């Protein structure tokens, strides 16, 4: 396997696929059912066919390339990722997993012939939610859990209905009630890390053990807006002062809990937002993530109690709205062990780690045995035209995938 340059081949194909949706402002903008999305899927379809794979689309536009198994025809090992991007995204997020899968299947077919079990690579229709306010459309349809009523009345930023966009792209709603595919026995997703841990620790591959859970809150504080010059400090109900103390408390507590817990206040709005008026209202967001549900809940409960206590002390009203509560998702221990063995077998520099971002795998994992491989993202950059992974690291990720697919499908 070491005689084939997986890295150079991967980089070449990533640049080729990046032509479809190439943004004049830099990077790639490839949104669900847009013409450039259709062109990308059609280009991948032709490439898969040339690689000797059996190719088909499902109803909603997920694209599959299959290497047919000889013995266990009702068992499929699936790999791949999503073909859509964010606006002005890069060459690696999502599409690396697709290209890695195609290269792996090409190599396995050439070197070892027909597997015992089917191996499929999937180019999933959508994950990012960049065009319509809906995420994981591809994997949710693959699993049979997407519902027509969730998107039937949905429009994009240009007012184009979801149903019209899908129809013009040549696709239609899945027949509901058919459920998920029963043949998929494992799913492996290869992805760029979208963070700086692997690069900082000089590791080429990350074997993911958990995808973090997330809780997101909107916190609204209501005090009293008043004149900055005529309102003594002791008479104020300053919503921004109260918010500042809360935010510092949250960050201090997050540092006390330590890794892998992270907490972020990413949005802060003050009203009336005038230089000579005491802020009467403040709204801020809070994003909390951890790999274990009990810690996520414990931290959330503690900061919520501290915020309410601080609001009472400051004489301001507080409203806390938790609008997202996604549980952490563990990867399948057996497949994680398979990936770890490949890293050791081929002498890859690797790290056992968690994912701080969401992926198709977190939707798949509760239903199908799933695991993920990461490769480094230079400077931790992602969702950017500047995202970059060296050919060497791209190749190491493909090597680990090839070894895992061989163990799962040929033995």
């Amino acid at each position: 396997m070491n005689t084939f340059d997986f890295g150079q081949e991967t980089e070449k194909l990533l640049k080729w696929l990046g032509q479809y949706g190439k943004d004049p402002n830099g990077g790639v903008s490839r949104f669900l059912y847009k013409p450039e999305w259709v062109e990308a899927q059609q280009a991948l379809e032709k490439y898969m066919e040339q690689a000797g794979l059996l190719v088909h689309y499902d109803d909603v536009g997920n694209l599959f390339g299959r290497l047919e198994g000889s013995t266990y025809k009702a068992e499929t090992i699936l790999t791949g990722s999503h073909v859509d991007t964010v606006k002005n995204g890069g060459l690696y997020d999502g599409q690396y997993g697709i290209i890695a899968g195609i290269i792996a299947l090409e190599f396995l077919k050439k070197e070892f012939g027909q597997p015992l079990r089917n191996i499929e690579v999937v180019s999933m229709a959508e994950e990012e939610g960049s065009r319509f306010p809906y995420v994981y459309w591809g994997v949710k349809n693959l699993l049979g859990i997407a519902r027509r009523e969730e998107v039937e009345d949905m429009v994009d930023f240009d007012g184009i209905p979801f149903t019209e966009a899908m129809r013009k792209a040549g696709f239609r709603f899945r027949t509901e009630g058919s459920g998920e595919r029963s043949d998929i026995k494992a799913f492996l997703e290869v992805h760029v890390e979208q963070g700086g841990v692997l690069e900082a620790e000089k590791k080429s591959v990350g074997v993911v053990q958990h995808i973090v859970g997330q809780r997101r809150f909107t916190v609204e504080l209501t005090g009293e807006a008043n004149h900055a010059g005529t309102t003594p400090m002791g008479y104020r109900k300053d919503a921004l002062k109260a918010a500042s103390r809360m935010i510092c408390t949250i960050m201090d507590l997050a540092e006390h809990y330590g890794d892998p817990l992270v907490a972020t206040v990413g949005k802060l709005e003050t009203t009336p937002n005038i230089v000579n008026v005491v802020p009467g209202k403040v709204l801020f967001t809070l994003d909390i993530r951890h790999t274990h549900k009990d810690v996520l809940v414990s931290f959330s409960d503690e900061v919520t109690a501290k915020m309410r206590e601080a609001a009472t002390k400051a004489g301001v009203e507080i409203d806390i709205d938790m609008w997202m509560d996604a549980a952490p998702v563990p990867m399948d221990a057996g497949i994680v062990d398979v990936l770890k063995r490949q890293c050791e077998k081929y002498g890859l520099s690797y790290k056992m780690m968690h994912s701080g971002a969401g992926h198709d795998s977190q939707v798949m994992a509760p239903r199908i045995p799933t695991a993920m491989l990461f490769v480094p993202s230079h400077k931790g950059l992602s969702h950017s035209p500047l995202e970059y992974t060296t050919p060497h690291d791209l190749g190491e990720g493909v090597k680990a995938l090839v070894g895992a697919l061989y163990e799962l499908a040929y033995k």
Side-chain angles (χ1 to χ4, degrees):
M1 188 158 67
N2 290 327
T3 59
F4 184 78
D5 195 335
F6 289 107
Q8 292 296 333
E9 183 68 11
T10 303
E11 186 177 61
K12 181 184 77 175
L13 289 177
L14 286 170
K15 289 179 178 178
W16 163 75
L17 187 54
Q19 298 174 86
Y20 301 98
K22 187 173 183 180
D23 198 298
N25 297 315
V28 182
S29 295
R30 190 164 55 230
F31 305 148
L32 178 65
Y33 300 140
K34 285 277 192 176
E36 57 271 16
W37 177 94
V38 173
E39 291 168 1
Q41 289 289 67
Q42 289 175 345
L44 285 167
E45 177 187 9
K46 290 178 183 176
Y47 191 92
M48 288 179 184
E49 287 173 345
Q50 291 169 0
L53 304 180
L54 301 174
V55 181
H56 76 280
Y57 290 95
D58 67 9
D59 289 342
V60 304
N62 291 316
L63 171 66
F64 300 86
R66 171 180 283 223
L67 188 56
E68 196 80 25
S70 63
T71 305
Y72 306 107
K73 295 181 179 294
E75 298 182 12
T76 299
I77 310 301
L78 183 66
T79 188
S81 195
H82 60 95
V83 74
D84 68 313
T85 72
V86 299
K87 184 175 176 61
N88 304 127
L91 289 176
Y92 301 85
D93 179 10
Q95 63 183 26
Y96 169 55
I98 301 167
I99 295 299
I102 295 172
I103 291 174
L105 266 64
E106 276 190 290
F107 181 84
L108 288 166
K109 182 174 183 289
K110 180 180 178 182
E111 294 293 318
F112 305 106
Q114 190 175 18
L116 297 177
R117 296 169 184 84
N118 311 314
I119 314 176
E120 278 187 2
V121 57
V122 58
S123 175
M124 291 192 198
E126 189 275 341
E127 186 248 26
E128 298 284 6
S130 297
R131 182 178 184 186
F132 298 97
Y134 190 99
V135 294
Y136 303 121
W137 175 246
V139 67
K140 284 181 178 179
N141 276 280
L142 190 153
L143 292 169
I145 59 175
R147 293 290 174 262
R148 178 184 304 214
E149 60 268 20
E150 295 174 319
V151 298
E152 268 184 323
D153 298 325
M154 200 174 282
V155 297
D156 68 8
F157 291 114
D158 297 318
I160 297 172
F162 189 101
T163 51
E164 179 183 327
M166 182 167 58
R167 179 182 54 78
K168 283 188 174 180
F171 301 100
R172 57 189 174 86
F173 284 116
R174 173 184 56 85
T175 301
E176 295 185 1
S178 57
E180 66 187 61
R181 286 175 49 176
S182 61
D183 64 306
I184 302 175
K185 303 305 177 185
F187 176 61
L188 287 74
E189 184 174 12
V190 186
H191 208 281
V192 289
E193 181 192 351
Q194 299 181 282
V197 174
L198 289 174
E199 183 178 61
E201 297 191 16
K202 296 181 171 55
K203 304 292 185 182
S204 291
V205 176
V207 179
V208 178
Q209 295 173 289
H210 293 87
I211 298 177
V212 297
Q214 301 181 44
R215 282 187 162 189
R216 294 184 185 177
F217 301 80
T218 298
V219 182
E220 188 171 19
L221 304 175
T222 304
E224 185 175 86
N226 217 328
H227 195 288
T230 62
T231 310
M233 299 302 289
Y235 290 96
R236 297 185 179 198
K237 294 182 180 179
D238 188 332
L240 183 56
K241 178 184 176 183
S244 300
R245 286 185 169 170
M246 292 176 191
I247 293 167
C248 288
T249 298
I250 292 166
M251 296 304 132
D252 289 344
L253 188 62
E255 290 176 0
H256 175 73
Y257 267 68
D259 291 336
L261 187 134
V262 291
T264 304
V265 174
K267 180 179 180 180
L268 180 67
E269 295 177 351
T270 64
T271 304
N273 201 28
I274 298 172
V275 67
N276 59 346
V277 177
V278 176
K281 184 170 286 189
V282 168
L283 180 147
F284 66 90
T285 59
L286 174 59
D287 178 308
I288 305 169
R289 307 187 187 204
H290 197 276
T291 55
H292 292 93
K293 181 73 172 182
D294 56 345
V295 180
L296 188 63
V297 172
S298 174
F299 182 85
S300 300
D301 290 348
E302 191 169 351
V303 295
T304 297
K306 288 182 180 294
M307 285 192 291
R308 294 193 186 282
E309 181 182 337
T312 299
K313 189 173 181 180
V316 301
E317 296 178 8
I318 185 169
D319 180 67
I320 303 172
D321 176 26
M322 183 172 70
W323 52 271
M324 178 179 179
D325 185 11
V329 178
M331 299 291 95
D332 181 82
I335 305 179
V336 167
D337 192 52
V338 169
L339 294 174
K340 182 181 176 183
R341 285 202 300 273
Q342 309 317 307
C343 292
E344 293 172 349
K345 178 179 178 180
Y346 296 109
L348 309 181
S349 175
Y350 76 98
K351 174 183 175 65
M352 307 302 292
M353 63 187 299
H354 70 270
S355 172
H359 298 283
D360 287 310
S361 287
Q362 77 184 67
V363 181
M364 192 82 81
R367 297 163 180 86
I368 291 170
T370 296
M372 290 193 76
L373 281 170
F374 280 167
V375 294
S377 296
H378 182 52
K379 295 184 178 179
L381 292 171
S382 183
H383 285 184
S384 161
L386 300 177
E387 69 181 18
Y388 177 71
T389 301
T390 67
H392 173 267
D393 290 335
L394 292 171
E396 299 293 83
V398 178
K399 283 182 188 177
L401 177 64
V402 167
L405 292 175
Y406 178 82
E407 183 166 333
L408 293 169
Y410 283 82
K411 293 184 176 181

